[in-house]
Amino acid sequence: MQFYNIKHPDERVSFKQAVLQGLGREQGLFFPSSLPEFTPEQIQELLALPFQERATKILGAFIGDEFSEAEIKELVTKAFNFPAPVVKVEDDIYTLELFHGPTLAFKDFGGRFMSQVLRLLAKERKITILTATSGDTGAAVAHAFYQIPNIEVVVLYPKGRISELQEKLFCTLGGNIKTIAINGDFDACQALVKQAFDDQELREAIGLNSANSINISRLLAQITYYFEAYARLNTDKPVLVSVPSGNFGNLTAGLLAKALGLPISKFIAATNANDTVPRYLASGKWEPNKTQATLSNAMDVSRPNNWPRIEELFRVKGWSLTQDLFSAPVSDETTAQTIVALDKEGYLSEPHGAVAYRVLKDHLQPGQVGVFLGTAHPAKFKGEVENILKREIALPEQLAKYKDLPLLSANLDADYELLKAFLLAEK
Ligand SMILES: *Cc1c(COP(=O)(O)O)cnc(C)c1O
């Protein structure tokens, strides 16, 4: 299938090209040129399959013209080699736990699938991956690409604004993984990445590629677990899905799942105090404020970079942003209270999942079933969760082993020329 640039619809590329390029002209996002649609019978058949087989068929609907079914199956099997359980939290409220991969966050799904696709494409030429992270993307990308031949990874993150443990998880690997702490916030990191992608000369010099949530491969990978949630719930009631949102890639994937025919009745975009989207849905005005630091720091984004895809999808499908989507913000104070309340019910949560639970709980009507996405393992936000619950929580083995390793990050001001010099020196 071809993918077009939302800003310049005449720019159309194959899936492989879209993955390599990341962005189109003028930083335009790629979008599928046609949206596959499964019939209700086909959806039932898909729901009956095991995760990997189902994922192979879903992804095949988008990329089946460029990869054989056996290749897709191999990509899927290598990328999604961990479970995504649905856990009951209380009557009619469930969580889809997406944090059982190697870096304990849902970004492992997109990151690992993308690295498998690029492993095939890097046989031709060297690739440099440049990505900005507010925490979890960086870890997922760094781990997914660690030691993949002919691929160099550079990750930018806002200095002092991600948890110590998060930083340890991806800034200690070395080898083909370079990390840079930027003196600025996440939006500043994201702006630097965008500038680099606009720099044609640099792009060609180092085979620049993006692996953050703007890459189409990550988005497609994430569609697959919405089907898993629906299959596990196995209910006749209307299903609401609440997504803790920052850059809105996760929500875009959920909406694409719905476009394919998955009968989710409504999506909820839960945000923290960075509430550009809920204010936009209420007022019709796009007015980003300055990014605020919150407890759910992977969602500290005031200019969500996937939003144009959501607008495009609603336009193509004729859906209504105000009727088919609900969005509300949650303060840090309420997030903390929610973590305490969930803990009393016997479910150990963390700030991102708690934000999603809160909006779902407040919005759910009798007769509906809700599922919120658990995007990170509570131990990834150990300090915050322990402060709130006033007790210690255990560190899983996957994290414990990085705790005492030295940080290998460079440190730069948020200045494009400095970044460019760094990248060219790596060549
Ligand atoms: C990245 C992230 C989010 C936000 O996902 P988007 O796709 O950027 O909206 C939510 N929770 C966690 C733990 C994350 O790492």
Side-chain angles (χ1 to χ4, degrees), residues 305-381:
N305 62 9
N306 270 295
W307 188 256
R309 282 186 169 129
I310 292 183
E311 296 257 357
E312 184 71 355
L313 181 58
F314 274 71
R315 190 186 66 75
V316 169
K317 297 298 291 183
W319 294 342
S320 152
L321 272 175
T322 45
Q323 279 165 32
D324 297 325
L325 187 62
F326 177 75
S327 186
V330 179
S331 69
D332 273 0
E333 192 187 347
T334 304
T335 303
Q337 285 164 359
T338 303
I339 290 174
V340 171
L342 282 170
D343 188 53
K344 287 203 177 111
E345 290 186 50
Y347 190 74
L348 180 61
S349 180
E350 54 73 49
H352 306 78
V355 163
Y357 166 85
R358 184 74 264 153
V359 184
L360 176 66
K361 174 84 175 167
D362 293 346
H363 192 69
L364 200 69
Q365 302 292 316
Q368 300 175 329
V369 175
V371 56
F372 64 97
L373 304 195
T375 47
H377 192 291
K380 275 201 102 160
F381 297 89

Side-chain angles (χ1 to χ4, degrees), residues 126-158:
K126 183 173 169 182
I127 294 174
T128 301
I129 289 179
L130 176 65
T131 190
T133 184
S134 49
D136 289 330
T137 315
V141 167
H143 282 262
F145 287 95
Y146 184 49
Q147 292 180 332
I148 291 196
N150 231 12
I151 297 188
E152 183 95 3
V153 175
V154 179
V155 186
L156 310 186
Y157 63 99

Side-chain angles (χ1 to χ4, degrees), residues 191-413:
L192 287 171
V193 168
K194 285 194 166 173
Q195 256 182 299
F197 276 91
D198 259 0
D199 185 336
Q200 194 63 27
E201 179 200 0
L202 178 80
R203 254 161 87 162
E204 276 160 25
I206 63 174
L208 200 58
N209 189 292
S210 132
N212 65 13
S213 60
I214 57 184
N215 195 285
I216 193 73
S217 61
R218 297 170 42 101
L219 221 51
L220 297 186
Q222 292 174 357
I223 294 173
T224 63
Y225 51 68
Y226 287 92
F227 281 77
E228 178 71 3
Y230 201 91
R232 297 278 164 204
L233 284 179
N234 195 16
T235 176
D236 294 330
K237 297 181 188 168
V239 172
L240 272 66
V241 179
S242 180
V243 184
S245 296
N247 263 317
F248 284 71
N250 208 355
L251 181 68
T252 307
L255 292 164
L256 283 170
K258 180 167 170 155
L260 290 178
L262 189 68
I264 294 195
S265 82
K266 195 171 201 175
F267 278 92
I268 294 174
T271 72
N272 58 30
N274 297 286
D275 59 352
T276 309
V277 167
R279 283 187 294 109
Y280 173 64
L281 293 187
S283 73
K285 296 200 187 99
W286 187 259
E287 296 173 326
N289 292 332
K290 200 169 175 316
T291 307
Q292 292 180 48
T294 74
L295 278 174
S296 47
N297 61 37
M299 292 151 58
D300 290 352
V301 181
S302 60
R303 298 171 189 273
N305 62 9
N306 270 295
W307 188 256
R309 282 186 169 129
I310 292 183
E311 296 257 357
E312 184 71 355
L313 181 58
F314 274 71
R315 190 186 66 75
V316 169
K317 297 298 291 183
W319 294 342
S320 152
L321 272 175
T322 45
Q323 279 165 32
D324 297 325
L325 187 62
F326 177 75
S327 186
V330 179
S331 69
D332 273 0
E333 192 187 347
T334 304
T335 303
Q337 285 164 359
T338 303
I339 290 174
V340 171
L342 282 170
D343 188 53
K344 287 203 177 111
E345 290 186 50
Y347 190 74
L348 180 61
S349 180
E350 54 73 49
H352 306 78
V355 163
Y357 166 85
R358 184 74 264 153
V359 184
L360 176 66
K361 174 84 175 167
D362 293 346
H363 192 69
L364 200 69
Q365 302 292 316
Q368 300 175 329
V369 175
V371 56
F372 64 97
L373 304 195
T375 47
H377 192 291
K380 275 201 102 160
F381 297 89
K382 193 171 184 292
E384 292 86 338
V385 174
E386 288 181 340
N387 270 342
I388 291 164
L389 294 180
K390 311 215 169 12
R391 66 179 167 83
E392 286 208 13
I393 62 170
L395 203 57
E397 176 56 27
Q398 272 143 297
L399 285 187
K401 65 183 182 210
Y402 296 100
K403 197 167 91 264
D404 301 319
L405 297 177
L407 288 176
L408 302 172
S409 298
N411 177 214
L412 290 181
D413 282 337

Side-chain angles (χ1 to χ4, degrees), residues 51 77-85 96-113 136 139-141 143-144 169 225 374-380 396-402:
F51 188 100
T77 311
K78 287 193 169 148
F80 308 146
N81 59 351
F82 52 90
L96 173 66
E97 292 188 346
L98 298 171
F99 50 75
H100 296 285
T103 69
L104 306 181
F106 85 95
K107 294 193 174 75
D108 283 327
F109 282 90
R112 292 176 64 80
F113 182 69
D136 289 330
V141 167
H143 282 262
L169 186 56
Y225 51 68
T375 47
H377 192 291
K380 275 201 102 160
E397 176 56 27
Q398 272 143 297
L399 285 187
K401 65 183 182 210
Y402 296 100

